[in-house]
Amino acid sequence: MAYDLWYWPSIPGRGEFVRLAMEAAGIEYDDCARRLGAEAMVADMATRTARPPFAPPYLASEGLVIAQTANILMFLGERHGIGPSTMAERLWLHQMQLTIADMVAEVHNVHHPVDPGAYYAEQRREAARAAAQFRTERMPKFLTHFEASIRANSGDWMVDHRWTCVDTSMFQLVEGLRYMFPRRMKTLEPDYPEVIRIHDQVATLPGIRAYLKSDRRLPFNEDGIFRHYPELDDD
Amino acid sequence: MAYDLWYWPSIPGRGEFVRLAMEAAGIEYDDCARRLGAEAMVADMATRTARPPFAPPYLASEGLVIAQTANILMFLGERHGIGPSTMAERLWLHQMQLTIADMVAEVHNVHHPVDPGAYYAEQRREAARAAAQFRTERMPKFLTHFEASIRANSGDWMVDHRWTCVDTSMFQLVEGLRYMFPRRMKTLEPDYPEVIRIHDQVATLPGIRAYLKSDRRLPFNEDGIFRHYPELDDD
């Protein structure tokens, strides 16, 4: 295998953004912790002292160890020619990728507003307030930005005329938000047709179509980043 | 001026990470919103429809508009030869830069745990719990990671043998944490001598020395990201 991917084996989480890009591009990888377990990942991380990751996901290959989701995706884009070719477009793509990462961090914060190390059940009241604010303020703010960003491109995809990791990441963001807040997304989606168009286009890529039908694709669940607690959702 | 930097004029915030790299490198910039005001920045942002920033800071130059702090710093590193030369070191630097950005986002969250759009006074009880968790769990976790990352490099700086933007960013992170939680930092600092060594070395760079004495350097305050509320600090 060319790449070892290490990420928590029981959730899609941030690892899924890396998986989707590799699956779409047909890049082979060994999803190590799904084969060997979470303890094996913790043990492996402890050996990565030359350039330690702060947290999974991280990708290891030929002596390189790369962490931070957006950084991994930038590397894959350059190494495999699946990123844009000009510097201006590379920076623009990475900028959008980092804004997606910011929204994902806010998603995590909805369920863990006062203590990222404690359970949701220990911060339910605070999460209710964080969820209301996220639904009414942050979701439209981010989605409006992504809609405008997609409209700014003359091609069919988010950057230039071919899919890149920011498209596969947008797919996963929409999937996650639909899982997390189905009622809210039903209300919002008609306002963001370009975001939904990118999502739908990604789902038709041959590599993604095959992946979504495979058992490599993990379902969302309440141990992950995108969680569905019905009491937090609303129109 | 080669670069227009746009950031909120009354706080150091995320803009300061960009300023410090440019000041250390002697890169000229026009700190536009400090000259023209926040309204001018909001008006300018509305014109940036070709590649819209989600939020300040953003840097404009010769048709390029670049947002996301870590992305701006990556661009400056490559364009001005103040980043590392190998791909492996560029990725490693950017990985650390993104982990600093993650910690800065958590700092912001301490003061706004349930509603980033509301005042601290409207979420004081939640902030007290978030601050306790940040002090006891997150600060040692991040600082231990940075300490190990610095120790992993054989050179005097965080990457290779010369300063880069991740060093100037580490300086600002330490400055911000000291302002935010002086009592907690006094307890923690002896455990992280390499982090403090990088901070102190950055302060001696000629460009930084001159900058810190100038009126271009903005003090921390309670409208910014790093805020000092004595009730949230503890040993």
Side-chain angles (χ1 to χ4, degrees):
Chain A
M1 288 285 179
Y3 293 108
D4 286 343
L5 172 67
W6 289 94
Y7 191 68
W8 301 110
S10 54
I11 64 168
R14 291 183 170 89
E16 195 66 9
F17 294 91
V18 179
R19 287 191 194 100
L20 284 164
M22 293 199 287
E23 295 280 352
I27 298 168
E28 280 193 75
Y29 63 100
D30 183 0
D31 207 339
C32 300
R34 291 200 61 192
R35 197 163 50 76
L36 303 169
E39 290 87 2
M41 182 176 74
V42 173
D44 182 83
M45 257 184 93
T47 69
R48 306 292 186 176
T49 52
R51 283 174 183 156
F54 181 69
Y58 60 96
L59 199 68
S61 169
E62 298 163 16
L64 273 179
V65 182
I66 309 162
Q68 283 282 0
T69 309
N71 197 40
I72 296 170
L73 292 171
M74 181 172 70
F75 162 76
L76 291 172
E78 293 184 21
R79 170 67 69 94
H80 293 276
I82 53 171
S85 51
T86 70
M87 184 191 66
E89 283 180 336
R90 279 197 296 118
L91 291 164
W92 169 235
L93 183 154
H94 195 56
Q95 178 178 321
M96 290 191 283
Q97 194 70 54
L98 291 173
T99 307
I100 291 174
D102 285 347
M103 190 173 189
V104 170
E106 292 197 21
V107 164
H108 182 265
N109 194 58
V110 165
H111 309 308
H112 303 80
V114 289
D115 190 343
Y119 290 111
Y120 165 66
E122 300 172 72
Q123 45 197 317
R124 286 178 73 131
R125 194 183 50 201
E126 294 87 349
R129 192 167 156 198
Q133 204 275 342
F134 184 77
R135 284 195 319 268
T136 56
E137 302 295 331
R138 302 303 283 173
M139 286 178 76
K141 186 172 165 76
F142 275 105
L143 291 170
T144 298
H145 170 74
F146 293 131
E147 185 77 7
S149 299
I150 300 167
R151 282 185 198 281
N153 187 30
S154 60
D156 285 342
W157 297 91
M158 288 181 70
V159 179
D160 207 355
H161 294 277
R162 48 188 281 199
W163 74 268
T164 64
C165 63
V166 78
D167 297 286
T168 53
S169 296
M170 188 57 63
F171 166 84
Q172 183 65 3
L173 187 66
V174 170
E175 290 279 299
L177 292 172
R178 282 178 176 174
Y179 176 79
M180 181 185 188
F181 288 153
R183 293 177 59 188
R184 182 58 174 155
M185 279 299 274
K186 198 171 172 199
T187 302
L188 287 177
E189 285 192 24
D191 294 336
Y192 306 104
E194 290 294 289
V195 169
I196 302 305
R197 183 178 64 77
I198 294 296
H199 168 275
D200 294 353
Q201 268 182 199
V202 168
T204 69
L205 292 172
I208 297 295
R209 273 223 310 269
Y211 174 62
L212 295 178
K213 282 189 282 192
S214 78
D215 61 6
R216 299 191 301 286
R217 171 75 169 176
L218 283 164
F220 293 104
N221 63 61
E222 281 57 67
D223 293 320
I225 292 178
F226 294 97
R227 301 178 178 202
H228 180 57
Y229 298 116
E231 67 271 24
L232 299 183
D233 192 13
D234 202 348
D235 299 344
Chain B
M1 288 283 181
Y3 293 108
D4 286 343
L5 172 67
W6 289 94
Y7 191 69
W8 301 110
S10 54
I11 64 169
R14 290 183 170 88
E16 195 67 8
F17 293 91
V18 179
R19 287 191 195 100
L20 284 164
M22 292 199 287
E23 296 279 353
I27 299 168
E28 281 193 76
Y29 62 101
D30 184 358
D31 207 339
C32 301
R34 291 200 62 191
R35 198 163 48 77
L36 303 168
E39 291 86 2
M41 183 175 74
V42 173
D44 182 83
M45 257 184 92
T47 69
R48 306 293 185 176
T49 52
R51 284 174 183 158
F54 180 70
Y58 61 96
L59 199 68
S61 169
E62 297 163 17
L64 272 178
V65 182
I66 308 162
Q68 283 280 2
T69 308
N71 197 40
I72 296 170
L73 292 171
M74 183 171 70
F75 162 77
L76 290 172
E78 293 184 20
R79 171 66 70 94
H80 293 275
I82 51 171
S85 51
T86 70
M87 185 191 65
E89 283 180 336
R90 279 196 298 115
L91 291 164
W92 168 235
L93 183 153
H94 195 56
Q95 177 178 320
M96 290 190 284
Q97 193 70 55
L98 291 172
T99 307
I100 291 173
D102 286 347
M103 191 174 188
V104 170
E106 292 197 21
V107 164
H108 182 265
N109 194 59
V110 165
H111 308 308
H112 303 81
V114 289
D115 190 343
Y119 291 110
Y120 164 66
E122 300 172 71
Q123 46 196 315
R124 286 177 72 130
R125 194 183 49 202
E126 295 88 349
R129 192 167 156 197
Q133 204 275 342
F134 184 77
R135 285 196 320 267
T136 56
E137 303 294 330
R138 302 303 284 174
M139 286 176 76
K141 185 172 166 75
F142 275 105
L143 291 170
T144 298
H145 170 75
F146 293 132
E147 184 78 5
S149 299
I150 300 166
R151 283 185 196 279
N153 187 30
S154 60
D156 284 343
W157 297 91
M158 288 182 69
V159 180
D160 207 352
H161 293 276
R162 48 188 281 199
W163 75 267
T164 64
C165 63
V166 78
D167 297 286
T168 54
S169 296
M170 188 57 62
F171 167 84
Q172 182 66 4
L173 186 66
V174 170
E175 289 279 299
L177 293 171
R178 282 178 175 174
Y179 176 79
M180 182 185 188
F181 288 154
R183 293 177 59 188
R184 182 58 175 154
M185 279 299 273
K186 199 172 172 199
T187 302
L188 287 176
E189 285 192 24
D191 294 336
Y192 307 105
E194 290 294 290
V195 169
I196 303 306
R197 183 179 63 77
I198 295 294
H199 168 275
D200 294 353
Q201 269 183 197
V202 168
T204 70
L205 292 171
I208 297 295
R209 272 223 311 270
Y211 173 61
L212 296 178
K213 282 188 283 192
S214 77
D215 60 6
R216 300 192 300 286
R217 171 75 170 178
L218 284 164
F220 293 105
N221 62 60
E222 280 56 67
D223 294 320
I225 292 177
F226 294 96
R227 300 177 179 202
H228 180 57
Y229 298 117
E231 66 273 23
L232 299 183
D233 192 12
D234 202 348
D235 298 345

